[in-house]
């Protein structure tokens, strides 16, 4: 069952520009998480935002959460070529025993 | 170093030959999970475990088995692999309310 849906599916920008990715989900959640995956490698946890939080920062990353709209956004500021990767949102549902459910991801390409 | 270790990294096998992909974590996490990743389908959960001796089916459990006899280990077993199980597999663990730590992945090809 797909919970998170990222938008856009693919994004190409120049180094130094900001990249914004969006995630929409369907059911109530405990928290929402963003991950990065470099091609063929394991996912790396970037940031977790709880359902009672609206915004969170980590370095060049800014995540917002709007539970009324069931959506989240990930902003990467001043992007670098090394940010080229796929980005996934994952939801931790309120239902007991339900583990993280991932969206299909946004592929970000940053060119120098 | 806190990590999830899965082996092997690459595996080519023949249809019907039982195999096990091992997964071990050193963070004392209660939650562990297996995902498969396929082009266009994203990450889909196969099985997960909330604690020792507690396992549950994810979205695509058919053709797979798991066990959780110890907290640190969560092997994935394919009793009779088929070509449609060719995929990239990830093991992951996490603490309650935390993000997942992923293993490096196992690329399985079943011919």
């Amino acid at each position: 069952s797909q919970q998170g849906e990222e938008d856009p599916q693919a994004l190409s920008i120049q180094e130094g520009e900001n990249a914004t990715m969006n995630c929409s989900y369907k059911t109530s959640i405990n928290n929402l998480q963003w991950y990065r995956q470099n091609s063929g490698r394991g996912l790396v946890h970037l940031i977790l935002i709880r359902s009672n939080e609206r915004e969170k920062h980590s370095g060049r990353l800014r995540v917002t959460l709007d539970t009324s709209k069931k959506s989240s956004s990930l902003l990467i500021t001043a992007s670098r070529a090394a940010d080229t990767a796929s980005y996934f949102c994952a939801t931790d549902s309120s239902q007991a025993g339900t583990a993280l459910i991932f969206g299909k991801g946004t592929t970000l390409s940053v060119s120098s | 170093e806190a990590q999830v270790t899965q082996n092997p990294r690459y595996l080519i096998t023949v249809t019907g030959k039982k195999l096990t992909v091992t997964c071990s974590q050193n963070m004392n996490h209660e939650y562990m999970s297996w995902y498969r990743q396929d082009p266009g389908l994203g990450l889909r959960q196969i099985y997960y475990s909330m604690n020792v001796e507690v396992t549950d089916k994810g979205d695509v459990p058919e053709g797979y088995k798991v066990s959780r006899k110890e907290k640190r280990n969560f092997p994935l077993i394919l009793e009779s692999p088929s070509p449609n199980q060719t995929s990239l597999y990830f093991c992951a663990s996490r603490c309650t309310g935390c993000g997942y730590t992923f293993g490096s992945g196992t690329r399985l090809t079943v011919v």
Side-chain angles (χ1 to χ4, degrees):
Chain A
S1 57
Q2 211 72 40
Q3 165 77 306
E5 291 281 340
E6 292 93 344
D7 170 63
Q9 288 187 347
L11 180 60
S12 293
I13 59 174
Q14 298 283 326
E15 256 189 335
E17 295 180 337
N18 295 342
T20 300
M21 288 158 267
N22 302 298
C23 171
S24 59
Y25 58 92
K26 296 173 184 170
T27 64
S28 60
I29 59 171
N30 287 326
N31 62 68
L32 185 144
Q33 304 173 30
W34 285 91
Y35 290 80
R36 184 187 75 231
Q37 183 184 33
N38 291 91
S39 180
R41 302 202 170 205
L43 282 77
V44 174
H45 179 251
L46 296 176
I47 199 163
L48 180 153
I49 186 165
R50 294 189 163 78
S51 59
N52 61 353
E53 297 175 310
R54 291 297 165 257
E55 188 170 313
K56 206 159 182 181
H57 296 254
S58 177
R60 293 184 294 113
L61 305 180
R62 174 178 165 248
V63 169
T64 62
L65 179 64
D66 187 337
T67 52
S68 65
K69 294 181 179 177
K70 291 187 169 59
S71 68
S72 173
S73 68
L74 170 67
L75 169 67
I76 304 173
T77 60
S79 61
R80 307 165 181 167
D83 294 327
T84 295
S86 292
Y87 292 82
F88 296 86
C89 69
T91 51
D92 189 349
S93 174
S94 297
Q95 297 173 19
T98 304
L100 283 185
I101 299 175
F102 285 82
K104 293 184 181 179
T106 292
T107 300
L108 173 65
S109 177
V110 183
S111 53
S112 52
Chain B
E1 182 191 349
Q3 60 185 1
V4 174
T5 303
Q6 55 179 109
N7 284 296
R9 289 291 311 275
Y10 301 91
L11 179 60
I12 301 174
T13 190
V14 296
T15 299
K17 185 176 181 183
K18 180 179 178 180
L19 66 92
T20 299
V21 184
T22 63
C23 175
S24 180
Q25 51 97 1
N26 62 0
M27 296 163 282
N28 202 38
H29 287 166
E30 293 182 344
Y31 285 93
M32 295 187 76
S33 186
W34 277 102
Y35 290 86
R36 62 178 288 175
Q37 186 176 32
D38 302 286
L41 297 175
L43 281 127
R44 295 178 293 168
Q45 190 179 52
I46 302 170
Y47 269 94
Y48 65 95
S49 170
M50 294 176 66
N51 213 326
V52 175
E53 302 292 0
V54 180
T55 62
D56 281 293
K57 295 177 180 179
D59 294 323
V60 288
E62 294 78 21
Y64 304 96
K65 284 174 58 178
V66 292
S67 69
R68 189 89 184 275
K69 296 189 174 111
E70 311 162 274
K71 203 172 203 179
R72 62 183 293 124
N73 295 324
F74 191 43
L76 179 69
I77 302 153
L78 285 73
E79 294 269 3
S80 183
S82 62
N84 65 11
Q85 292 178 299
T86 292
S87 186
L88 180 57
Y89 291 87
F90 290 103
C91 178
S93 73
R94 66 181 177 114
C95 55
T96 305
C98 302
Y100 265 125
T101 300
F102 276 82
S104 299
T106 295
R107 189 168 292 280
L108 172 66
T109 302
V110 183
V111 298

